Amino acid sequence: ETGVTQSPTHLIKTRGQQVTLRCSSQSGHNTVSWYQQALGQGPQFIFQYYREEENGRGNFPPRFSGLQFPNYSSELNVNALELDDSALYLCASSPTSGMSYEQYFGPGTRLTVT
Amino acid sequence: AQKVTQAQTEISVVEKEDVTLDCVYETRDTTYYLFWYKQPPSGELVFLIRRNSFDEQNEISGRYSWNFQKSTSSFNFTITASQVVDSAVYFCALSDENFLGGANSKLTFGKGITLSVRP
């Protein structure tokens, strides 16, 4: 069984640029969530996708957007990057939507905005 | 609104000592789930345990044990006979129904506790 994978591992961008982060869900999982983890903090929920539809969003501006594909892989797009966007971005998949299911996390993408 | 508080920020123990990591949560829902995750230096969050709000039985898994008390809204985690490999950041998290009324699994995390186990 393949776990959750993310790419790239590290990324350096300049303020104002756009970035796309990718996530491949664990086999059989149709729900993916994205989290932002700033240094020294706990992960913060960005949004969740269930069967290709957005299924809940945290307190993040519209320049954070996402997609889920028919194979349940996912993308996180961030436009007009700001210095505060520097963080570890974690993707998590679960068997289906619903609060009772544990989420399986990928290794994360470390984004640095200069 | 849901909230998870991990008041301890850093704990340092010597190998073989027992250590307890505290977690206090807030939610208005009667149905919710609590989780503990471990984050080693590699960055990947590793799932440790899930508990639902209707099951207050303590749980033991090897050297790990969890004490869930609804009366104090706490879900504490104890590592017995700690080992160097236990060194990591530990997060407590909450999932409840009070999020846009939908069946989603948003997790609200605490700030984490950095555990260092010295040989």
Side-chain angles (χ1 to χ4, degrees):
Chain A
E1 186 177 81
T2 307
V4 179
T5 59
Q6 293 185 242
S7 62
T9 306
H10 294 89
L11 203 51
I12 300 175
K13 289 286 189 179
T14 303
R15 192 170 51 183
Q17 287 187 317
Q18 178 265 342
V19 67
T20 297
L21 310 182
R22 295 180 173 82
C23 171
S24 180
S25 299
Q26 187 161 317
S27 177
H29 289 186
N30 62 20
T31 301
V32 65
S33 303
W34 285 91
Y35 292 82
Q36 180 196 66
Q37 186 179 15
L39 202 60
Q41 301 295 314
Q44 298 287 316
F45 178 76
I46 303 175
F47 44 58
Q48 181 179 92
Y49 279 81
Y50 170 59
R51 293 185 175 178
E52 303 177 57
E53 297 288 330
E54 187 177 289
N55 184 40
R57 186 179 183 93
N59 188 26
F60 281 81
R63 59 189 186 83
F64 285 78
S65 63
L67 280 174
Q68 188 182 29
F69 301 100
N71 66 355
Y72 301 133
S73 65
S74 176
E75 285 182 358
L76 164 64
N77 298 289
V78 187
N79 294 321
L81 284 166
E82 300 178 359
L83 296 179
D84 284 348
D85 295 334
S86 295
L88 179 67
Y89 288 85
L90 295 162
C91 164
S93 73
S94 52
T96 189
S97 180
M99 62 175 172
S100 65
Y101 293 94
E102 63 265 31
Q103 296 181 39
Y104 295 86
F105 285 80
T109 293
R110 173 75 62 188
L111 173 65
T112 302
V113 182
T114 61
Chain B
Q2 58 274 76
K3 184 179 179 182
V4 175
T5 302
Q6 296 180 263
Q8 304 152 309
T9 53
E10 293 184 23
I11 299 175
S12 181
V13 299
V14 176
E15 205 169 22
K16 298 184 183 175
E17 281 186 32
D18 298 347
V19 58
T20 295
L21 311 181
D22 298 333
C23 173
V24 174
Y25 62 92
E26 293 176 32
T27 176
R28 285 178 284 191
D29 289 338
T30 55
T31 303
Y32 52 89
Y33 285 78
L34 295 163
F35 302 80
W36 275 93
Y37 282 86
K38 174 182 179 179
Q39 188 175 41
S42 61
E44 185 170 341
L45 283 163
V46 177
F47 167 76
L48 295 177
I49 191 172
R50 173 191 60 204
R51 212 82 183 126
N52 75 56
S53 52
F54 298 107
D55 184 359
E56 286 193 73
Q57 280 191 337
N58 291 335
E59 181 158 338
I60 298 174
S61 176
R63 296 185 297 107
Y64 296 169
S65 62
W66 291 269
N67 183 346
F68 176 31
Q69 292 195 337
K70 286 180 76 171
S71 60
T72 56
S73 297
S74 65
F75 185 42
N76 297 336
F77 172 29
T78 297
I79 301 175
T80 302
S82 59
Q83 300 176 2
V84 173
V85 294
D86 295 327
S87 296
V89 182
Y90 290 85
F91 290 97
C92 179
L94 166 71
S95 182
D96 63 17
E97 296 175 313
N98 191 23
F99 185 65
L100 299 178
N104 67 68
S105 43
K106 167 197 174 188
L107 288 172
T108 298
F109 285 86
K111 291 189 175 182
I113 302 169
T114 300
L115 174 64
S116 298
V117 182
R118 310 186 306 276

